[in-house]
Amino acid sequence: MPEAPENSFKGIDNHDSLISDQNKKAFQFIENVTIHADAVQERVLAEILSRSANVEYLKRHGLNGHVDRETFKKVMPVVVYEDLKPDIDRIANGDASPILCSQPISEFLTSSGTSGGERKLMPTIQEELGRRSLLYSLLMPVMDQFVAGLDKGKGMYFLFIKAEAKTPGGLVARPVLTSYYKSAYFKDRPYDPYTNYTSPNETILCQDSYQSMYSQLLCGLYLNNQVLRVGAVFASGFIRAIRFLEKHWPLLSNDIRTGTIDPKITDPSVREAVLKILKPNPKLADFIEAECGKESWKGIITRLWPNTKYIDVIVTGTMSQYIPILDYYSNGLPTVCTMYASSECYFGLNLNPMCKPSEVAYTLIPTMAYFEFLPVNRNNDGFITGPISLNEKEFGEQLADLVDVKLGQEYELVVTTYAGLYRYRVGDILKVAGFKNKAPQFNFVCRQNVVLSIDSDKTDEVELQNVVKNAANHLSSFDASLIEYTSYADTSNIPGHYVLYWEVSHSGEIPPSVFEDCCLTIEESLNSVYRQGRVSDKSIGPLEIKIVESGTFDKLMDFALSEGASINQYKTPRCVKYAPIVELLNSRVVSSYFSPKCPKWVPGHKQWCTEN
Ligand code: AMP
């Protein structure tokens, strides 16, 4: 992730001492807040509650101006998005009274988590940008401890903004990174060797994803020898950039040869910003053509950007599926996961960034929000079964405070934020891996319930069940029915795509167009983040249905039993990841069908378009 420390690099004479000063301050801050983690958390909660003492939500639950942890835990319920939706909808529809937060809601951040098929809307306030910026400012001082000299070159980061919409009440709704890149914290950042990127702001702030990607790659290639680190937010985004390069390198190298920019790049501000950097460089163009023209792209990152020390991308959680391909393109350069954040709140950072991806642990920074932790349990098969007590009071009492979590235990993260979320279940499962002073460090285990994910899309089992049921209706007019199904996120090609394995019972022929219709129906019924990935970001490929021979799912069960599953408890997995199972399924495919076109997608919630 990029970072935006608050500093003042006016010149480069006293550059080294300024950097070490800035780094010292960052470490001092981390030490202070982790040593005094509990006191900081108590203060953060008191600050949030005293500022918002008069908001409707806290009054409704009878907090009566109390700001202490004990009363807060006794009185306030632990909630999920659906509990807050009526209040969020009121704000989205223009009610500006203090419903959740005493400060005005400045915009909504649209999460990649969905509710009713649409992105969740997270309220935010102006000052949260400062908190996010602070977390970014800690990243490079930490990195500097492990890799020296990063201030002597540039970072090639592929960063993008996404479409934004307006709620019926007129508030902007957009992803958190779009909000950040468009803010003065990013756009007007003072010169700093740590935020010295190859991509000019104009290329990042270009809404057209083709032009943005093309121009960022062009600058990154042109400045190849200055690049010391490369990255994107998530691994999927970085690999998409490399695949884009595979397709477009002849055009890109031609631009470098001639010092011009392809006419398909029409955005005048992008053209101007790129042309300020680009000069004809035939030697570099020859080099790029020679490297990209080779049959194998193994190690292409280290070949084209020879001074790169690491790849800065998130590969924890569902992104771990991209580690092998990153290793292939980079000849095993270290992959660095620097931070853990969300639309609700930015959480923390990795203090040991050069560790292996499987060992990444994020230290939550106690000033970001008030954190609580709901212990999760697993059944004998290892499935998360959630908290034990059902009674609301007992449920609330199970939550542990930041400094009280136990090493090795898994928890669901619950946050209370400055922007008006109180005891809100984020849906992430974390495992305590260690402590920095008194602050715990967490492995990211998974997002609860997510079965399929290619990019930032997150499809859960219930949603999958509903969309498959819906699509399988197409079979009934052919006297056919769906017997069993499972799914697989296929990332062997980029963009990756969802694969559904279907076992169908039928007496006669079913025309291919019927299965294609099924594919499209599924895509049309999947959530907005999936459809945006298909339509706008092009980060997800067409959905595929693979029809398998009859008896395949029995074979799948036999396989699970042979691996030790219990026959009484066996249920068909609705998503498969384990390579031998995927191989078994693939070996029994009789035909396969793809979605013939993109599903429909509009920025913002569907209903806003009709309301506006
Ligand atoms: P969003 O609400 O769309 O901003 O997505 C935030 C979610 O992305 C988090 O709640 C996590 O599930 C996931 N996420 C963010 N950072 C990381 C990370 N470093 N490792 C794994 N998952 C992450």
Side-chain angles (χ1 to χ4, degrees), residues 1 110-113 119 122 176 234 314-319 337-344 347 360 362 426-428 444 446-447 456 458:
M1 275 250 198
T110 54
S111 162
S112 56
R119 285 175 177 269
M122 296 301 166
V176 61
F234 289 109
I314 292 175
V315 287
T316 39
T318 54
M319 290 293 148
C337 297
T338 56
M339 69 185 281
Y340 169 43
S342 78
S343 317
E344 289 87 339
F347 305 122
V360 171
Y362 299 103
V426 174
D428 289 345
F444 182 92
C446 64
R447 174 100 180 175
S456 50
K458 300 173 172 66

Side-chain angles (χ1 to χ4, degrees), residues 391-465:
N391 160 321
E392 193 176 290
K393 183 166 174 291
E394 280 177 29
F395 186 88
E397 284 170 1
Q398 285 183 56
L399 273 66
D401 271 322
L402 184 68
V403 298
D404 295 330
V405 295
K406 303 276 176 287
L407 190 67
Q409 169 70 44
E410 290 180 343
Y411 296 92
E412 183 184 336
L413 178 61
V414 175
V415 291
T416 295
T417 67
Y418 283 90
L421 300 176
Y422 306 92
R423 308 194 93 189
Y424 177 85
R425 295 173 67 172
V426 174
D428 289 345
I429 308 294
L430 310 176
K431 181 176 182 176
V432 185
F435 288 85
K436 163 73 181 172
N437 297 318
K438 290 282 186 319
Q441 303 181 302
F442 293 94
N443 300 137
F444 182 92
V445 177
C446 64
R447 174 100 180 175
Q448 207 159 20
N449 297 329
V450 169
V451 287
L452 283 170
S453 174
I454 295 287
D455 190 25
S456 50
D457 53 302
K458 300 173 172 66
T459 298
D460 70 31
E461 200 167 319
V462 176
E463 183 177 5
L464 184 65
Q465 170 73 20

